[in-house]
Amino acid sequence: MAEIIIVPYAAAAGSLVADAIVRLIERNREAVLGLATGSTPLPVYQALEPRLKGIDVSRVRGFALDEYVGLDPAHPESYRSVIQREVVEPLGLDPALIRVPDGSLDGIEHAGEEYEEAILAAGGVDLQLLGIGTDGHIGFNEPGSSFASLTRVKTLTEQTRDDNARFFDSVDDVPRHCITQGLGTILRARHLVLLAFGAGKAEAVAGAVEGPLTASLPGSAIQLHPRATVVVDEAAASRLRFADYYRYTYENKPAWQAI
Ligand code: PGA
């Protein structure tokens, strides 16, 4: 099962995960990071910024999970722009080594395959950051996504478009399609780190961690992964049946076992 860590607030999760990423980069200067967008990973990126000062990150590589289809890459809410603004610039990464799926309409039919090839050519993702949608999606793998799926175009649910409307002037401006790493792509990463904060995520987290394995709740795919870490605040943990056991396990974790 995944390791479940319940923290008092999001910044504590950010510190914990940032420490793991720093250790990874210190072990391997060419580490491949799986980058997530949305509000959830921001505490990780914020905690990483001071920690990476003085560490050579010039060869660190990165792959974003997803991108909107048909949105101008220069739009401030394209994930290319978001990754540049929230990750590449503050952390001092080399933009040439950070890839985002290509959501431009021209060539979209091959974009998924090309992205898969690029991930394979990089040797795969070492640590994949994940948020989870209120409908249980990871990446933009909406309910019904195959556990074997690879990077491809998906249609966003109305719920996801509503959830993401806060980033746009109106829900009508949220694109209807996206290109996302598949569940099969995500499961190939060597370490999955799923974060969730707030009561709005409690049901999705409980389903992903303790519910049945089902494509209807794509986050449940993490149960198939041999090394998954789930870091949640109390509110997001509030529907977990075995929360006391997870707390007990973490409190008694041997010092040599890092996340
Ligand atoms: P959020 O989105 O981090 O903005 O809540 C999570 C997701 O949709 O995966």
Side-chain angles (χ1 to χ4, degrees):
M1 64 175 280
E3 175 177 33
I4 320 296
I5 304 174
I6 302 170
V7 293
Y9 42 86
S15 302
L16 201 69
V17 177
D19 284 343
I21 293 174
V22 169
R23 283 193 299 272
L24 170 67
I25 295 173
E26 282 175 339
R27 278 197 311 274
N28 176 9
R29 299 286 161 179
E30 298 183 5
V32 180
L33 303 179
L35 302 167
T37 47
S39 310
T40 305
L42 294 179
V44 175
Y45 302 139
Q46 281 153 10
L48 265 176
E49 194 177 336
R51 283 169 173 76
L52 288 179
K53 294 263 176 293
I55 296 179
D56 175 15
V57 294
S58 63
R59 285 175 291 147
V60 169
R61 294 162 297 164
F63 288 90
L65 278 169
D66 43 22
E67 176 60 291
Y68 293 112
V69 168
L71 192 65
D72 183 345
H75 188 290
E77 293 307 327
S78 78
Y79 286 167
R80 167 156 299 288
S81 298
V82 171
I83 291 281
Q84 179 67 23
R85 184 170 69 236
E86 289 169 356
V87 186
V88 174
E89 283 166 14
L91 304 188
L93 304 182
D94 178 352
L97 300 181
I98 308 300
R99 297 272 304 245
V100 179
D102 185 354
S104 45
L105 291 171
D106 188 21
I108 191 69
E109 61 274 33
H110 306 298
E113 212 172 310
E114 284 163 12
Y115 204 62
E116 289 292 327
E117 281 165 14
I119 295 173
L120 287 177
V125 169
D126 290 307
L127 185 150
Q128 177 64 60
L129 292 173
L130 296 168
I132 185 163
T134 56
D135 65 0
H137 70 217
I138 54 174
F140 268 144
N141 293 282
E142 299 287 31
S145 294
S146 161
F147 285 164
S149 52
L150 301 178
T151 306
R152 75 245 183 265
V153 172
K154 289 288 289 180
T155 305
L156 296 174
T157 61
E158 284 304 304
Q159 188 173 336
T160 297
R161 292 183 67 237
D162 286 344
D163 287 348
N164 287 7
R166 67 188 194 281
F167 297 115
F168 293 83
D169 291 338
S170 98
V171 69
D172 298 329
D173 295 337
V174 183
R176 288 175 198 279
H177 295 98
C178 63
I179 174 165
T180 180
Q181 286 189 31
L183 295 176
T185 320
I186 291 169
L187 288 172
R188 284 181 191 157
R190 287 182 272 281
H191 183 191
L192 302 183
V193 179
L194 186 145
L195 300 129
F197 309 117
K201 299 292 175 72
E203 200 178 326
V205 167
V209 172
E210 296 176 342
L213 258 183
T214 170
S216 298
L217 203 148
S220 65
I222 64 165
Q223 295 177 39
L224 291 169
H225 197 282
R227 189 172 176 215
T229 307
V230 175
V231 191
V232 287
D233 65 3
E234 293 285 348
S238 59
R239 302 280 297 272
L240 288 170
R241 197 169 145 211
F242 302 112
D244 288 345
Y245 173 59
Y246 307 142
R247 286 198 184 88
Y248 176 83
T249 304
Y250 190 60
E251 279 159 16
N252 291 286
K253 185 171 165 147
W256 53 267
Q257 256 186 1
I259 72 161

